């Protein structure tokens, strides 16, 4: 009787280990990843008046926040700030214009190559030739 229950436990542990390994492989394959190496990207800012400013950036950054940090350090006309939260940095101010939903009923929306962004600024991978657009949007 003891052999059967020990055998069941061992088989259960082997199956559990295989499932965990499978989940880890899937996560590593499909998770958002940045690419290392010099990339030419465009960071665009569309303010509340609809005025667009474009910044050409050459970067080795893997994620957008790092590329934006590099841009802010090298170009005094670009700046951004925000609050750290559960999902990374929530961008609240770009080029001196505030968009805090609780105060302004507005927010900075991130678009990647014209499509609404799926990641926050700290997790958005940077790809060569991509355009990242920050657009001031009012909630109505």
């Amino acid at each position: 009787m003891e052999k059967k229950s020990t055998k069941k436990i061992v088989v259960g542990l082997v199956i559990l280990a295989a499932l965990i390994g499978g989940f880890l492989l899937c996560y590593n394959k499909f998770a958002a990843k940045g690419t290392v190496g010099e990339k030419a990207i465009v960071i665009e800012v569309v303010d509340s008046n609809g005025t667009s400013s474009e910044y050409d950036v050459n970067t080795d950054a893997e994620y957008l926040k790092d590329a934006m940090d590099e841009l802010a350090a090298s170009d005094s006309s670009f700046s951004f700030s925000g609050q750290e939260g559960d999902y990374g940095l929530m961008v609240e101010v770009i080029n001196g214009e505030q968009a805090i939903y609780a105060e302004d009923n507005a927010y900075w929306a991130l678009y990647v190559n014209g499509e609404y962004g799926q990641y926050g600024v700290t997790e958005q991978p940077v790809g060569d030739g991509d355009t990242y657009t920050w657009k001031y949007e009012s909630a109505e």
Side-chain angles (χ1 to χ4, degrees):
M1 199 82 142
E2 274 184 52
K3 274 188 167 183
K4 284 186 180 182
S5 81
T6 303
K7 189 175 183 179
K8 286 181 183 179
I9 291 172
V10 169
V11 168
L13 289 173
V14 168
I15 291 171
L16 180 63
L19 287 172
I20 291 172
F23 285 126
L24 288 173
L25 287 173
C26 287
Y27 177 78
N28 286 333
K29 178 156 179 79
F30 297 111
K33 294 181 178 74
T35 54
V36 179
E38 188 166 312
K39 296 162 272 243
I41 65 170
V42 174
I43 297 176
E44 179 183 22
V45 177
V46 180
D47 66 19
S48 60
N49 297 319
T51 304
S52 174
S53 301
E54 285 191 6
Y55 304 89
D56 294 318
V57 180
N58 291 312
T59 183
D60 283 330
E62 291 185 59
Y63 298 98
L64 184 56
K65 182 186 178 301
D66 299 327
M68 290 172 60
D69 285 336
E70 290 174 11
L71 175 60
S74 67
D75 187 335
S76 62
S77 69
F78 178 81
S79 64
F80 74 101
S81 64
Q83 293 291 322
E84 286 290 336
D86 292 339
Y87 303 105
L89 180 70
M90 177 67 171
V91 175
E92 297 176 332
V93 179
I94 299 179
N95 294 346
E97 183 165 23
Q98 174 178 294
I100 301 174
Y101 187 80
E103 295 177 23
D104 309 312
N105 206 31
Y107 60 96
W108 286 105
L110 175 60
Y111 292 86
V112 180
N113 297 323
E115 300 288 325
Y116 199 79
Q118 300 298 310
Y119 301 100
V121 67
T122 52
E123 295 161 348
Q124 175 59 55
V126 173
D128 188 36
D130 287 345
T131 298
Y132 304 91
T133 302
W134 287 101
K135 185 175 180 187
Y136 183 98
E137 293 192 354
S138 294
E140 297 185 29

